[in-house]
């Protein structure tokens, strides 16, 4: 199956007025931070919180009346699920979604809220897909892949059209890769409008299926990732065939890169991104010299991150920046010890968040104690100043 530039234009016309046109904005803060000129397409602002709406709606609108009555089934970690559920509900098409165990609650709840029947099955996307195929065969549903479908690819390509219509001077686009539907459609659209534009992909280091297939190697995909939206063990056959000749380079990013991207989008851009949604920024942060001086468009694919996970990521970033630090102090177990240490920390402007007082550690003298004092600081320099002040007072410590 193939998808042409004209197919994407047709998809744009087909879904017009039924899917939000998300904004493209220049980011001064991220540009200053990275040395690249960065434009962001905020697809986290779709009603269901991700880019998946374009492809899902385009595919549903291509169903025959008989197929609409039968209903559709899909496997999804959440974003395709919500998009299919929402637009299926609007169009009167029954939707069943199979989700892997461990899918964030926000995505499960969102899918159910749109009226879909949700089945939790499988340890990962592959297991969910097998169950979706079984339900298709057993109950006669139409299977709608999250990415390995020409109608889905064409719909996702509308993202590329919108991006270059709003920011025509871009040198390159960076697009996260899971199953490959978005990068395939976006690449066809962008190259059709501007043949010399560069198309870069980004994958999670734990799920580099596109990169492995390019090398002719079996993908080694395992483990948990914050970028669960692109945690796909095998890129789709259709999108890979379409994207491979058009994608200039793929960057494989570590978990810390995605976490930092999520944190920076929250703190600098004041917007919520899920792990996969921060992939474009993660690639730039990990390869600043590669992108320095370039005009880069990053596709913020979605914002459906669990609130607890967002809090964890933001706190972990504070730890990395030493704005949240634990001082482990070994000292005497006597009255006034803790207040004396607190006076040093407070005197330098540190904010004590938590204290753990351990008298039972066997590597501490019986008449001593171990104090773990968690402190909020301004930055790494401030944290070091507090640590040095504690040492100057004669306390034995290490900084965690």
């Amino acid at each position: 199956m193939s998808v042409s530039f004209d197919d994407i234009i047709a998809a744009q016309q087909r879904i017009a007025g039924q899917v939000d046109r998300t904004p493209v904005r220049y980011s001064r803060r991220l540009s200053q931070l990275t040395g690249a000129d960065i434009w962001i397409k905020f697809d986290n602002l779709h009603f269901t919180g991700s880019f998946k709406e374009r492809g899902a709606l385009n595919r549903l609108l291509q169903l025959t009346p008989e197929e609409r009555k039968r209903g559709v089934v899909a496997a999804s970690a959440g974003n395709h699920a919500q998009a299919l559920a929402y637009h299926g509900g609007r169009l009167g098409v029954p939707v069943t979604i199979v989700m892997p165990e461990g899918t964030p609650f926000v995505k499960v709840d969102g899918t159910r809220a749109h009226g879909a029947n949700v089945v939790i099955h499988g340890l990962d996307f592959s297991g969910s897909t097998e169950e979706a195929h079984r339900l298709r065969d057993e109950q006669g549903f139409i299977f709608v892949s999250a990415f390995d479908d020409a109608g889905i690819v064409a719909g996702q390509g509308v993202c590329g059209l919108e991006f270059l219509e709003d920011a025509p001077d871009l040198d390159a686009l960076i697009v996260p890769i899971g199953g490959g539907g978005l990068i395939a459609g976006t690449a066809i659209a962008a190259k059709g409008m501007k043949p010399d534009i560069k198309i870069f992909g980004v994958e999670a280091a734990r799920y580099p299926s596109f990169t492995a297939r390019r090398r002719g190697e079996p993908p080694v995909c395992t483990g948990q990732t914050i970028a669960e939206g692109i945690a796909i063990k095998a890129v789709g056959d259709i999108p890979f065939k379409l994207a491979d000749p058009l994608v200039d380079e793929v960057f494989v990013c570590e978990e810390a890169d995605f976490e930092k991207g999520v944190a920076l989008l929250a703190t600098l851009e004041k917007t919520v991104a899920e792990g996969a949604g921060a992939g474009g920024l993660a690639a730039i942060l990990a390869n600043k010299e590669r992108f320095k001086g370039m005009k880069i468009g990053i596709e913020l694919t979605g914002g459906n991150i669990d609130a607890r996970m967002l809090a964890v990521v933001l706190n972990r970033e504070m730890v990395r920046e030493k704005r949240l630090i634990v001082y482990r102090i070994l000292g005497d177990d006597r009255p006034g010890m803790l207040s004396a240490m607190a006076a040093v920390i407070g005197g330098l402007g540190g904010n004590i968040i938590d204290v753990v007082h351990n008298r039972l550690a066997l590597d501490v003298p019986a008449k001593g104690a171990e104090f773990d004092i968690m402190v909020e600081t301004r930055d790494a320099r401030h944290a070091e100043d507090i640590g040095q002040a504690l040492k100057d007072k004669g306390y034995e410590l290490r900084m965690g």
Side-chain angles (χ1 to χ4, degrees):
M1 300 179 72
S2 63
V3 176
S4 69
F5 183 76
D6 288 341
D7 291 329
I8 296 173
I9 294 293
Q12 185 181 44
Q13 295 170 349
R14 190 177 293 119
I15 68 176
Q18 300 180 71
V19 175
D20 293 329
R21 184 185 177 109
T22 55
V24 174
R25 294 174 183 155
Y26 177 69
S27 173
R28 285 194 295 170
R29 289 182 179 275
L30 293 178
S31 297
Q32 291 170 355
L33 177 69
T34 63
D37 286 332
I38 295 178
W39 278 259
I40 304 172
K41 184 161 181 60
F42 289 87
D43 270 357
N44 59 334
L45 298 181
H46 280 294
F47 180 67
T48 62
S50 89
F51 76 96
K52 291 285 190 176
E53 284 196 32
R54 302 185 188 93
L57 177 58
N58 186 57
R59 184 66 182 89
L60 287 170
L61 291 174
Q62 292 176 309
L63 294 173
T64 66
E66 187 271 337
E67 288 173 334
R68 289 193 182 196
K69 290 181 181 179
R70 287 160 58 188
V72 300
V73 65
S76 171
N79 288 336
H80 177 60
Q82 291 184 79
L84 206 60
Y86 170 60
H87 287 291
R90 288 181 50 247
L91 299 173
V93 179
V95 175
T96 297
I97 301 294
V98 184
M99 291 181 154
E101 297 172 17
T103 298
F105 294 142
V106 65
K107 295 183 178 182
V108 176
D109 294 343
T111 303
R112 285 182 172 141
H114 293 308
N117 174 38
V118 175
V119 177
I120 305 297
H121 185 95
L123 296 177
D124 55 21
F125 181 78
S126 297
S128 297
T129 300
E130 290 176 5
E131 177 65 9
H133 286 162
R134 189 190 68 79
L135 292 172
R136 173 199 61 192
D137 297 339
E138 181 182 276
Q139 301 189 34
F141 297 136
I142 303 299
F143 178 74
V144 179
S145 170
F147 47 81
D148 207 11
D149 182 295
I152 293 290
V153 172
Q156 311 307 21
V158 177
C159 172
L161 297 180
E162 293 179 1
F163 218 140
L164 286 186
E165 286 170 356
D166 292 347
D169 294 332
L170 292 176
D171 299 319
L173 297 177
I174 306 181
V175 182
I177 303 176
L182 179 61
I183 197 166
T186 298
I188 294 167
K191 295 277 189 179
M193 296 177 71
K194 190 174 183 178
D196 61 342
I197 195 169
K198 298 289 185 183
I199 303 295
F200 299 122
V202 56
E203 293 187 293
R206 297 182 180 182
Y207 288 84
S209 59
F210 192 99
T211 300
R213 187 161 178 176
R214 266 192 161 180
R215 294 173 178 170
E217 302 170 353
V220 179
C221 300
T222 185
Q224 293 294 318
T225 172
I226 189 178
E228 77 281 339
I230 54 174
I232 307 297
K233 289 185 175 181
V235 63
D237 293 335
I238 293 170
F240 181 80
K241 179 181 177 181
L242 296 169
D244 188 39
L246 302 177
V247 174
D248 295 275
E249 190 173 354
V250 178
F251 297 91
V252 177
C253 291
E254 301 293 339
E255 289 299 293
D257 301 322
F258 288 101
E259 289 183 30
K260 192 171 186 65
V262 170
L264 287 174
L265 286 165
T267 56
L268 297 186
E269 280 301 319
K270 316 304 179 188
T271 193
V272 174
E274 59 192 79
L281 180 55
I284 295 175
L285 293 169
N287 301 275
K288 286 185 181 180
E289 288 302 314
R290 177 70 176 79
F291 296 107
K292 190 174 183 178
M294 294 180 68
K295 297 177 181 177
I296 306 292
I298 60 175
E299 162 64 359
L300 200 172
T301 54
N304 292 320
I305 187 171
D306 185 83
R308 181 188 64 81
M309 183 53 62
L310 178 60
V312 169
V313 169
L314 293 176
N315 280 325
R316 284 168 63 90
E317 193 58 29
M318 290 183 70
V319 172
R320 286 193 183 96
E321 296 175 356
K322 295 191 181 299
R323 292 190 295 127
L324 197 61
I325 189 167
V326 174
Y327 299 97
R328 173 161 291 177
I329 303 173
L330 305 180
D332 299 333
D333 187 14
R334 54 182 171 79
M337 187 74 175
L338 184 57
S339 64
M341 292 184 288
V344 174
I345 295 168
L348 287 175
N351 181 31
I352 296 177
I353 303 297
D354 191 23
V355 177
V356 176
H357 189 177
N358 184 6
R359 293 181 174 88
L360 300 179
L362 297 181
D363 59 347
V364 177
K367 291 187 176 182
E370 182 179 79
F371 303 85
D372 281 352
I373 305 178
M374 182 180 291
V375 179
E376 182 183 6
T377 69
R378 292 189 296 272
D379 50 32
R381 178 64 181 271
H382 187 208
E384 290 173 4
D385 289 345
I386 293 173
Q388 188 58 54
L390 288 166
K391 290 178 183 178
D392 291 344
K393 288 290 186 179
Y395 298 116
E396 181 183 349
L397 84 157
R398 70 172 180 84
M399 297 163 64

